[in-house]
Amino acid sequence: QLQASGGGLVQAGGSLRLSCAASGRTFSSYGMGWFRQGPGKEREFVSAISWNGVVTYYADSVKGRFTISRDNAKNTFYLQMNSLKPEDTAVYYCARKYGTNWYSILQYDYWGQGTLVTVSS
């Protein structure tokens, strides 16, 4: 199971850090990712990280502002979000990757419940 937390209301230009805690012993074997779904929009890729944290991926819209990381000892991975914009408002979901395409929602099998991020202008 995956449990996302850390969402909230923040002003534009502010920061939030999302966390996703995983249960089970195999967390460190999998790549993990963050997706988001804004109002009236489809769920979209935000960022992903390899099993050992060495390789990371970002959507162009968040590159340079968001940083993904993980702590395998704590079975947790994170999304540090800086310079937030109103268009970042969405429910953010964490997920476990099982397929080969880092960017495709179809390549992720287990999903957290989502945490709401609201950025006011």
Side-chain angles (χ1 to χ4, degrees), residues 21-42:
S23 59
R25 299 180 180 181
T26 62
F27 170 78
S28 60
S29 300
Y30 290 89
M32 305 297 294
W34 288 98
F35 287 75
R36 68 186 181 186
Q37 188 165 13
K41 298 181 180 180
E42 294 186 352

Side-chain angles (χ1 to χ4, degrees), residues 5-121:
S5 62
L9 174 64
V10 64
Q11 289 188 333
S15 298
L16 282 174
R17 188 175 84 152
L18 306 183
S19 299
C20 181
S23 59
R25 299 180 180 181
T26 62
F27 170 78
S28 60
S29 300
Y30 290 89
M32 305 297 294
W34 288 98
F35 287 75
R36 68 186 181 186
Q37 188 165 13
K41 298 181 180 180
E42 294 186 352
R43 195 171 299 189
E44 64 176 2
F45 172 83
V46 175
S47 182
I49 188 166
S50 63
W51 67 273
N52 57 3
V54 171
V55 184
T56 57
Y57 304 83
Y58 297 94
D60 287 344
S61 58
V62 307
K63 204 171 292 183
R65 300 187 297 122
F66 292 9
T67 302
I68 192 170
S69 62
R70 67 189 296 162
D71 185 340
N72 286 343
K74 296 182 178 180
N75 273 16
T76 304
F77 73 111
Y78 308 93
L79 186 68
Q80 177 66 44
M81 305 186 296
N82 298 329
S83 302
L84 283 161
K85 304 175 181 180
E87 51 263 44
D88 294 318
T89 294
V91 177
Y92 284 71
Y93 298 90
C94 57
R96 188 185 78 170
K97 176 183 167 294
Y98 79 98
T100 57
N101 186 335
W102 288 92
Y103 302 92
S104 171
I105 191 173
L106 300 177
Q107 303 294 297
Y108 292 78
D109 54 0
Y110 288 100
W111 292 81
Q113 84 289 359
T115 184
L116 176 62
V117 172
T118 303
V119 184
S120 63
S121 57

